[in-house]
Amino acid sequence: MDFGLVLQTDPPASRVVDLMQRAERNGFTHGWTFDSAVLWQEPFVIHSRILANTTTLTVGPMVTNPGTRTWEVTASTFATLNDMYGNRTVCGIGRGDSAMRVAGRAPNTLARISDAMKVIRTLASGGEADLGGGTVVRFPWIGPDARLPVWMAAYGPKALRMTGEEADGFILQLADLYLTEYMVKAVKDAAVAAGRDPAEVTVCVAAPAYVTADDSPEALAHAREQCRWFGGMVGNHVADLVSKYGADGSVVPHELTDYIKSRQVYDYSHHGRSGNPDTQFVPDEIVDRFCLIGPAEKHIEKLKALRALGVDQFAVYDMHDAQEAVIDAYGERIIPALAG
């Protein structure tokens, strides 16, 4: 199992770079950042510094979207980074919840994501792509070994199917065992139905992790408060699913939708931050299911279960008051236990 570190690009950017260096030293293979131009600093500028100051780390957004940049610009950015640092990027892509809504726009449609994935992957890998209206372009400067995997974030049935049919990887932003099994199966089944080898689709589960010294009620309560924000972030996507498919459980499992019944307003100025006042509706049960909290052995136990469900990478959302401590705990105790 591989391990990734997920950060927001809050200033100073040097701290983001430092934490990514720390992660690489501790055995992490991937470094991910949010991509929301109004809320945080420009990730791709910082990605260049991360790549320059690490040796093997693969870097990418979790996630970009096809609405805030034109597709040839996104492809050129990735291709340039790969030319400079040796094919060490991955394009995580999704609907653009915060990036689009904060700018006053609706998240992107699945059809738009599908088209964008094809164009971005093709151009960044050295091929020709139609930008629309018959305008076919190709980067004349790109090298013969260029490649760019594109991983799609998904929750709903249509998005899961499209991920299995078209994406190189699947990003699932929660670590609930039942929902992971349910959604990984949906993606793999779609890959098979499309004539693909399901093993070609890399599965990445991303969620907050908080390592405590023990499993005392006080330690667990603090960890839950540090990670409760995540249920609110996921809740934005779940609310969209309920609006589209309903909440009767016939299309989207109750295990994903029931907890947002008391959800009210959501202020994106607190998005992805511990102490988010708009996430108090998230119960402890959801924090425990969606995140990894507790002593190191509890993390190892859950990660082994995720690996058995077909998860190839666990990406740690490291937005809380113990950033360095969690990176080090993973490097010292947890990653070695999952080696191989």
Side-chain angles (χ1 to χ4, degrees):
M1 177 181 271
D2 287 335
F3 288 84
L5 182 71
V6 189
L7 298 173
Q8 295 165 333
T9 51
D10 288 314
S14 58
R15 175 163 171 78
V16 178
V17 176
D18 288 346
L19 289 172
M20 291 297 185
Q21 289 178 300
R22 191 183 196 108
E24 183 180 58
R25 291 196 301 269
N26 276 282
F28 288 74
T29 59
H30 287 68
W32 302 91
T33 69
F34 282 32
D35 178 14
S36 193
V38 174
L39 297 177
W40 298 288
Q41 292 185 329
E42 170 55 35
F44 290 107
V45 175
I46 300 172
H47 289 178
S48 187
R49 294 295 297 163
I50 295 169
L51 289 162
N53 286 278
T54 55
T55 304
T56 60
L57 204 69
T58 296
V59 176
M62 188 175 282
V63 292
T64 193
N65 74 87
T68 53
R69 294 177 179 84
T70 60
W71 306 345
E72 71 274 17
V73 169
T74 299
S76 181
T77 301
F78 279 108
T80 302
L81 291 173
N82 283 338
D83 185 65
M84 293 171 69
Y85 301 107
N87 287 340
R88 289 171 53 203
T89 69
V90 55
C91 176
I93 195 167
R95 297 180 64 227
D97 173 57
S98 65
M100 297 296 286
R101 286 189 165 121
V102 168
R105 309 182 189 109
N108 294 272
T109 65
L110 292 180
R112 185 171 175 81
I113 296 172
S114 175
D115 292 341
M117 285 200 300
K118 294 181 180 70
V119 168
I120 292 167
R121 182 197 292 117
T122 299
L123 287 177
S125 300
E128 291 185 344
D130 188 340
L131 299 180
T135 302
V136 177
V137 300
R138 181 181 198 146
F139 299 150
W141 48 266
I142 203 163
D145 298 324
R147 60 173 179 79
L148 177 69
V150 179
W151 297 7
M152 181 175 166
Y155 292 110
K158 291 182 179 179
L160 293 170
R161 184 170 65 249
M162 195 175 94
T163 300
E165 293 171 346
E166 301 181 24
D168 301 301
F170 167 40
I171 297 173
L172 174 58
Q173 295 175 87
L174 54 80
D176 175 74
L177 295 179
Y178 172 81
L179 291 171
T180 297
E181 181 176 22
Y182 177 94
M183 294 184 185
V184 169
K185 183 179 185 303
V187 169
K188 299 287 189 178
D189 286 351
V192 171
R196 302 180 67 194
D197 179 354
E200 293 177 356
V201 185
T202 302
V203 176
C204 174
V205 160
Y210 199 100
V211 183
T212 60
D214 54 45
D215 57 0
S216 66
E218 295 79 13
L220 294 178
H222 179 76
R224 290 184 182 112
E225 288 310 310
Q226 289 295 305
C227 298
R228 197 175 305 277
W229 63 267
F230 184 67
M233 187 182 83
V234 173
N236 294 323
H237 304 285
V238 176
D240 287 343
L241 293 176
V242 169
S243 176
K244 184 172 184 176
Y245 297 109
D248 62 3
S250 61
V251 179
V252 182
H254 285 297
E255 289 82 357
L256 181 60
T257 61
D258 279 357
Y259 84 98
I260 69 161
K261 290 178 180 176
S262 58
R263 175 183 180 271
Q264 296 179 349
V265 298
Y266 188 88
D267 183 350
Y268 279 93
S269 65
H270 306 291
H271 190 58
R273 302 191 184 278
S274 61
N276 186 335
D278 298 329
T279 61
Q280 292 307 305
F281 72 93
V282 180
D284 287 351
E285 175 207 0
I286 289 295
V287 181
D288 292 348
R289 282 173 45 203
F290 284 14
C291 306
L292 275 72
I293 65 170
E297 54 268 24
K298 292 295 185 182
H299 291 244
I300 294 168
E301 178 184 354
K302 190 167 186 179
L303 287 165
K304 286 182 176 179
L306 288 168
R307 183 174 63 181
L309 296 175
V311 175
D312 301 297
Q313 180 184 149
F314 177 63
V316 176
Y317 276 106
D318 203 29
M319 280 74 82
H320 45 57
D321 64 359
Q323 289 181 302
E324 290 90 348
V326 166
I327 293 169
D328 292 346
Y330 264 70
E332 292 164 8
R333 299 188 59 187
I334 297 169
I335 292 176
L338 277 293

